[in-house]
């Protein structure tokens, strides 16, 4: 999520911009701060404050719980983790065998909302700062909150004998801080290397594929959930992959068969790889319209 917070700053700075007043012969009173300038960026208003987002998240959590309960009634042959060398065009999945069941989740904006850090960045009008984020990972426990319906959903999974695992790009150096944050949010115990996997656990950086493979070697992963496509496969995050091709890949027959049937995507309008999209990526040129 790190570099992706820059767009939020841009929104803030745009909302706060004012036009310089001409030089006056006498002092003038400072301009009143507009109501708009005192509000959070629209993306944060939606995600963290709106009933619409809360309902969407709660509904996704309900679907996860229902899917998991139904899925374990008959042991699946394969997990939902792509096997090494598999592609979305030719998908293969890690076999389950007799491994115990597990559900794998991203953490940030999937299990918890990072309200403390996101508010700080927005209020200060600064771009993402890795030093500040490092402090957040270490000391943010109690300021990140469980997303709507998450506590109840995880309780149902655990009661059914499904191990809950977090696979996040928080750093391994701050493992204790992430364990504390998840516990303080009411999500139970997570232990680094067992039920908590972090960036730095392997040499693959922000790619989660190797961590997913490690988890799938120990468990029959019946579902994965996240807020970015990279929470399911690094194939969606190939460098310089054109936006249209990325969308087509996510809508391919293999992927389409998994959405809400093993892969669950949470809404996140605050940040993501889609931030680099241009005008023509977002609005097809043939839809351009202007008033006369």
């Amino acid at each position: 999520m790190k570099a992706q917070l820059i767009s939020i700053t841009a929104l803030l700075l745009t909302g706060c911009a004012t036009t310089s007043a001409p030089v006056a012969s006498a002092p003038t009173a400072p301009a009143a701060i507009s109501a708009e300038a005192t509000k959070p960026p629209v993306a944060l208003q939606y995600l963290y404050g709106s009933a619409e987002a809360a309902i969407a998240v709660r509904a996704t959590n309900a679907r996860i719980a229902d899917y998991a309960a139904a899925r374990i009634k008959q042991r699946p042959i394969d997990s939902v983790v792509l096997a090494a060398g598999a592609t979305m065009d030719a998908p293969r999945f890690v076999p389950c065998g007799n491994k115990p069941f597990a559900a794998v989740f991203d953490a940030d904006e999937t299990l918890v909302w990072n309200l403390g850090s996101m508010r700080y960045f927005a209020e200060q009008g600064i771009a993402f700062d890795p030093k500040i984020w490092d402090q957040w990972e270490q000391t943010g426990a109690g300021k990140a909150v469980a997303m709507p319906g998450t506590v109840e959903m995880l309780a149902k999974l655990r009661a059914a004998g499904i191990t809950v695992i977090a696979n996040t790009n928080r750093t391994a150096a701050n493992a204790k801080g992430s364990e504390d944050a998840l516990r303080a949010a009411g999500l139970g115990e997570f232990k680094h290397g067992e039920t908590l996997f972090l960036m730095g656990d392997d040499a693959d950086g922000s790619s989660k594929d190797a961590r997913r493979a490690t988890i799938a070697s120990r468990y029959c992963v019946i579902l994965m959930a996240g807020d970015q496509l990279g929470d399911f496969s690094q194939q969606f995050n190939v460098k310089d992959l054109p936006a249209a091709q990325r969308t087509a890949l996510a809508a391919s027959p293999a992927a389409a068969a998994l959405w809400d049937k093993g892969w669950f995507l949470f809404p996140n309008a605050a940040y993501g790889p889609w931030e680099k999209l241009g005008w023509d990526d977002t609005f097809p040129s043939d839809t351009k319209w202007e008033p006369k």
Side-chain angles (χ1 to χ4, degrees), residues 1 3 74 76 81 106 110 113 115 128 155 159 195 274 286 289 292:
M1 70 171 288
Q74 183 174 358
V81 176
D106 176 41
T110 296
W113 278 338
L115 298 188
F128 176 82
T195 53
W274 36 262
D286 60 358
W289 174 88
K292 299 197 182 289

Side-chain angles (χ1 to χ4, degrees), residues 211-233:
R211 282 173 266 158
R212 276 187 285 265
T214 297
I215 296 166
S217 72
R218 304 175 186 176
Y219 292 93
C220 171
V221 179
I222 61 168
L223 68 89
M224 296 191 293
D227 64 310
Q228 314 280 329
L229 294 181
D231 293 326
F232 307 95
S233 171

Side-chain angles (χ1 to χ4, degrees), residues 110-226:
T110 296
L111 294 176
V112 295
W113 278 338
N114 291 295
L115 298 188
S117 60
M118 297 299 284
R119 177 169 185 161
Y120 180 84
F121 284 126
E123 286 184 329
Q124 298 301 311
I126 59 174
F128 176 82
D129 186 323
K131 292 183 179 179
I132 294 173
W133 181 258
D134 186 67
Q135 291 182 49
W136 170 250
E137 288 188 0
Q138 296 178 51
T139 66
K143 305 299 182 181
V145 303
M147 289 164 54
T150 301
V151 171
E152 298 84 351
M153 179 270 290
L154 294 187
K156 289 179 180 179
L157 265 56
R158 288 173 171 138
I162 301 167
T163 299
V164 174
I165 296 172
N167 182 13
T168 168
N169 277 337
R170 289 177 173 233
T171 59
N174 294 329
K176 183 181 184 303
S178 292
E179 291 172 350
D180 292 345
L182 294 169
R183 184 188 310 110
L187 302 182
E189 296 296 324
F190 290 81
K191 185 175 181 181
H192 183 212
E194 296 181 9
T195 53
L196 176 62
F197 291 79
L198 301 161
M199 184 167 65
D201 287 345
D202 54 47
D204 283 359
S206 62
S207 171
K208 296 182 177 181
D209 279 354
R211 282 173 266 158
R212 276 187 285 265
T214 297
I215 296 166
S217 72
R218 304 175 186 176
Y219 292 93
C220 171
V221 179
I222 61 168
L223 68 89
M224 296 191 293

